[in-house]
Amino acid sequence: MTSNKEIRPVRKAVFPVAGLGTRFLPATKAVPKEMLTVVDRPVIQYVVDEAREAGIEHLVFVTGRNKGAIEDHFDIQFELEHTLKERGKTEGMEILAKALPEAGQTSFTRQQAPLGLGHAVWCAREIVGNEPFALLLPDMIMQDKVGCLSQMMAVYNKNGGNVVSTEEVDWEQTHKYGIVEKGEGVEGGFRITGMVEKPDSGTAPSNLFINGRYILQPEIFGLLAKQEPGAGGEIQLTDAMLTLAKEQDMYGFTFRGRTFDCGSKEGFVKANIAYAVTHPDLSDGLRAELKTLLETVGT
Ligand code: G1P
C-alpha cells in the first residue's frame, strides 16, 4: 500500500445531478429535483455553498437531459439583476451575488445513460484531471456550524489519502446505503478496512453509512472505467473505492451534525422544517405555529 503523504490540495468538487427524481413526481416533471426549494434556497445551492465554504474553486456538475435549470441557476440572470438594481433592491442583489460562482468556476458534462453513481463520477474524469477532488451527493444536505466538507478537509489535511464521511444509522436501515467497516483510529477519523454497497439485511459490517461526502484521489477514475455492475445492476462507486483502499489510504470521518436525505419526501420535509425553525426571519413565528398545528390538525 502506498502512503499518500504528499497532500495535494482539493480544488474541484463533483456534483452528480443526473438523477430523474421520480420519487417527487409530479413536482419534478419540469423542474430538476435538485432545484426543489428548502425554505429559500434550492437543494443544490446548499450543497454548492458547503463546497465553496470548504475552499472549493471549481464546481463540476454531471447532469442529464432536462437539467438546464441548474446551469441557469449558477449563471447571472441579466434582466433580473438589472431590474433589482434599477429599483434599488440591494438585499436581493446581495443574495444573488453571494450564491453565484465566478465566471469559469463551473463545468457541466452529461452522464448520457443512468448506469449508476460510479459511472456518473467517471463522467467527470476529464474535467477533474489528475488531482484529488471532492464529491458531494446533492440529495444530502447537512446542517452544522461548520460544513461537513470543511470538517473532512481538516482530516484530509492531516492524513492525506481518501476520506469518506460516515454517520450512524439504525441497523434496520443499513441495506439502503453504502456501509463501512471501521479500523484503527487516526487523527480526526479512522481507517476504513471494508466497504459494502447496500448489504443484505443482517450482513452489514457496521451501522456507519456513507452519507454522501467524499474526498477522492484521481486513481478512482481508472478503477471506475473497468468496474463491473454491482448492487442494483449499477456501476457502484463503493465497489471501486474498495479496490482503491487496497492501494491507497482510505479514511473514514464521522459527521455529527444533522443530515437530511432530500431524495426522500420525509427527509425533504424534515429539512424544510429544520432550516425554517433555525432561519432568523422565520424561527419565532414558526415554532409557535408548529406547536398549534400539532395540537389542532387531526392525524
Ligand atoms: C449512494 C451511494 C451510497 C451512499 C448513498 C448516500 O447511494 O452509493 O453508498 O450511502 O448514496 O445517499 P444511492 O442513494 O445513490 O442509492
Side-chain angles (χ1 to χ4, degrees):
M1 181 180 296
T2 54
S3 181
N4 313 293
K5 283 307 168 199
E6 187 217 344
I7 301 176
R8 294 193 289 162
V10 181
R11 301 185 314 111
K12 297 180 183 174
V14 174
F15 305 87
V17 290
L20 288 176
T22 45
R23 276 186 270 183
F24 284 89
L25 285 171
T28 48
K29 187 177 169 193
V31 176
K33 63 173 174 165
E34 297 80 7
M35 292 301 294
L36 297 181
T37 313
V38 171
V39 184
D40 53 6
R41 283 189 276 168
V43 169
I44 188 67
Q45 183 78 56
Y46 287 83
V47 187
V48 162
D49 288 351
E50 181 189 327
R52 294 177 75 208
E53 179 213 77
I56 294 297
E57 296 164 11
H58 195 96
L59 314 167
V60 182
F61 297 87
V62 180
T63 73
R65 286 178 287 284
N66 303 322
K67 298 282 183 168
I70 298 175
E71 197 162 344
D72 290 342
H73 181 75
F74 291 107
D75 191 8
I76 63 159
Q77 224 286 32
F78 180 77
E79 293 82 358
L80 175 63
E81 284 162 35
H82 182 72
T83 309
L84 290 175
K85 197 171 176 190
E86 263 190 355
R87 296 186 183 169
K89 303 260 185 208
T90 47
E91 197 189 338
M93 285 165 65
E94 279 165 19
I95 289 170
L96 291 183
K98 210 168 141 230
L100 187 69
E102 274 177 49
Q105 283 190 322
T106 51
S107 294
F108 296 84
T109 188
R110 285 195 177 195
Q111 189 181 4
Q112 296 182 348
L115 300 179
L117 175 62
H119 178 256
V121 174
W122 177 76
C123 290
R125 69 200 179 282
E126 301 219 347
I127 304 174
V128 171
N130 187 27
E131 56 180 280
F133 63 100
L135 169 66
L136 297 95
L137 307 191
D139 278 350
M140 302 302 225
I141 62 175
M142 272 99 158
Q143 202 179 31
D144 206 348
K145 285 193 191 74
V146 177
C148 181
L149 188 61
S150 294
Q151 297 183 34
M152 291 170 73
M153 287 287 198
V155 180
Y156 174 76
N157 289 333
K158 292 276 179 222
N159 303 290
N162 301 268
V163 183
V164 179
S165 177
T166 68
E167 244 176 275
E168 284 194 12
V169 68
D170 289 342
W171 283 91
E172 304 80 67
Q173 304 288 319
T174 50
H175 66 281
K176 293 185 182 165
Y177 299 103
I179 304 291
V180 304
E181 185 180 72
K182 191 173 179 177
E184 68 183 37
V186 299
E187 196 163 345
F190 55 89
R191 275 188 191 280
I192 290 180
T193 47
M195 253 176 290
V196 51
E197 182 65 25
K198 303 195 175 66
D200 290 336
S201 290
T203 66
S206 78
N207 66 338
L208 286 174
F209 86 102
I210 300 172
N211 68 2
R213 299 292 184 271
Y214 313 73
I215 294 172
L216 295 169
Q217 297 295 328
E219 287 73 22
I220 193 75
F221 292 124
L223 298 173
L224 286 170
K226 51 186 187 202
Q227 184 61 52
E228 296 291 332
E234 297 189 337
I235 297 171
Q236 295 291 353
L237 175 66
T238 308
D239 295 342
M241 289 198 306
L242 192 59
T243 311
L244 187 63
K246 296 190 179 111
E247 296 158 12
Q248 298 186 357
D249 294 319
M250 181 78 60
Y251 301 109
F253 155 79
T254 308
F255 179 63
R256 305 209 186 272
R258 296 282 320 254
T259 295
F260 301 97
D261 182 354
C262 291
S264 77
K265 281 181 198 160
E266 190 183 322
F268 178 73
V269 172
K270 281 183 183 166
N272 267 289
I273 296 169
Y275 280 91
V277 296
T278 50
H279 191 291
D281 299 344
L282 305 175
S283 180
D284 292 348
L286 200 67
R287 279 170 197 267
E289 180 63 20
L290 279 175
K291 206 162 166 274
T292 313
L293 273 174
L294 288 173
E295 282 162 8
T296 55
V297 177
T299 51

